[in-house]
Amino acid sequence: MKTVEASASGKIILFGEHAVVYHRPAIAVPVADVRAQASLRPTVEDEFRILAPDLDRDYLFTQAAADDPLASIVRLTLKKLGESNPPAATLMVSSTIPLGRGLGSGAAISAAVVRALADFFGQVLSPADISALVYEVEKIYHGTPSGIDNTVIAYEQPVFFIKGRPIQQMRVSQPFGLVVGDTGVVAPTHRVVGNLRRLWQADRERYEGYFDEIGAIAHQARVAIENDLVDITVIGKLMNQNQELLERIGVSSPALERLIDAARGAGALGAKLSGAGGGGNMIALVPSQPAMAASVTQALMEAGATATILTGVRED
Ligand code: PMV
């Protein structure tokens, strides 16, 4: 047995978060600039050890809690691979994806672990298999995940996603840049999703209306991204419209709005929160010119962003 290494990218939701939980479409893209890594190193001791230095964790698989996310993805993957026993090895996971900020850190760590285990046993799992395994663990974190995170991360391609439907890959016909700005505020996804569910239960008609509007924006955004005849400013305007609806459904926050205003003020073509909201990250659209990305990044830092990432959505 040899040492194996695998990785998985982060992700950004461009359009449609939250409404996607209620079966409206959403668009997400992988972010290859930040990644989760998993390695498996054979050991002489007959035990399976899990090391996650970023989380300050070091424990034996046999002693993990029943709902431990890392042990859970290992258990599910071994079952899928038809392996009844864990390997005598050390699993080490690490990640450059900021935790709990809507960039898919949990799903990416799970996907990297699945890929490493499959490779260790000399097997190949399809993106659909990887996505399904990661989804099982996403349920532990989120309760009612739409499945968009595991899908975009397992396929590592832009996706137009509708819960419960086969994945639709998207063509990106014109490249654009995104500056991601971190509010530094950790807002657990399940809490933001749970709050919205209570609001929806109290007034379904109103919230279904908002979700319809968000779904319509995702459809228009798909056309704009797939068709290079559509001006890129259209994508920015759609982001701003999506943000307005996210504010109405109560998942935005003052810290997010401060960064969004700063990005727009510095010339971004559009800006919105990305992911669950309540804190976490916002994204700003910049054309593929370094100068605007630099001024938007500077404006975000001056407005209090704790970190920024510059990434690109590229032509395929
Ligand atoms: O995992 P996050 O923080 O990017 O948020 C997920 C996006 C939601 O639409 C809010 C929830 C979901 O399951 O799709």
Side-chain angles (χ1 to χ4, degrees), residues 80-158:
K80 178 78 192 167
L81 296 172
E83 296 290 336
S84 41
N85 293 312
T90 298
L91 169 68
M92 164 104 109
V93 298
S94 62
S95 175
T96 57
I97 308 171
L99 291 175
R101 304 288 216 283
L103 290 177
S105 59
I109 288 172
S110 295
V113 170
V114 175
R115 287 179 180 149
L117 276 168
D119 191 14
F120 194 82
F121 287 107
Q123 295 196 40
V124 177
L125 292 176
S126 69
D129 289 335
I130 297 170
S131 183
L133 288 165
V134 175
Y135 183 64
E136 287 306 306
V137 179
E138 287 290 285
K139 287 194 218 163
I140 302 175
Y141 290 107
H142 291 202
T144 55
S146 63
I148 191 167
D149 280 25
N150 46 287
T151 302
V152 66
I153 287 169
Y155 285 83
E156 236 173 274
Q157 289 191 359

Side-chain angles (χ1 to χ4, degrees), residues 11 13 16-21 100-104 138 142 144-149 161 187 189 192-193 274-277:
K11 74 98 212 328
I13 298 181
E17 50 274 274
H18 286 290
V20 70
V21 175
R101 304 288 216 283
L103 290 177
E138 287 290 285
H142 291 202
T144 55
S146 63
I148 191 167
D149 280 25
F161 178 85
T189 298
V192 187
V193 170
S274 176

Side-chain angles (χ1 to χ4, degrees), residues 148-200:
I148 191 167
D149 280 25
N150 46 287
T151 302
V152 66
I153 287 169
Y155 285 83
E156 236 173 274
Q157 289 191 359
V159 295
F160 184 81
F161 178 85
I162 302 175
K163 189 176 176 179
R165 300 245 192 105
I167 162 192
Q168 299 179 46
Q169 284 163 13
M170 277 188 50
R171 215 163 22 85
V172 175
S173 62
Q174 51 185 339
F176 52 88
L178 290 171
V179 184
V180 184
D182 191 341
T183 60
V185 178
V186 180
T189 298
H190 64 87
R191 193 187 304 153
V192 187
V193 170
N195 288 344
L196 177 56
R197 184 164 292 275
R198 276 185 287 281
L199 292 169
W200 171 77

Side-chain angles (χ1 to χ4, degrees), residues 238-249:
L238 290 167
M239 284 169 71
N240 291 342
Q241 286 169 20
N242 195 161
Q243 171 61 23
E244 209 178 302
L245 287 156
L246 289 162
E247 287 172 21
R248 275 200 230 145
I249 62 173

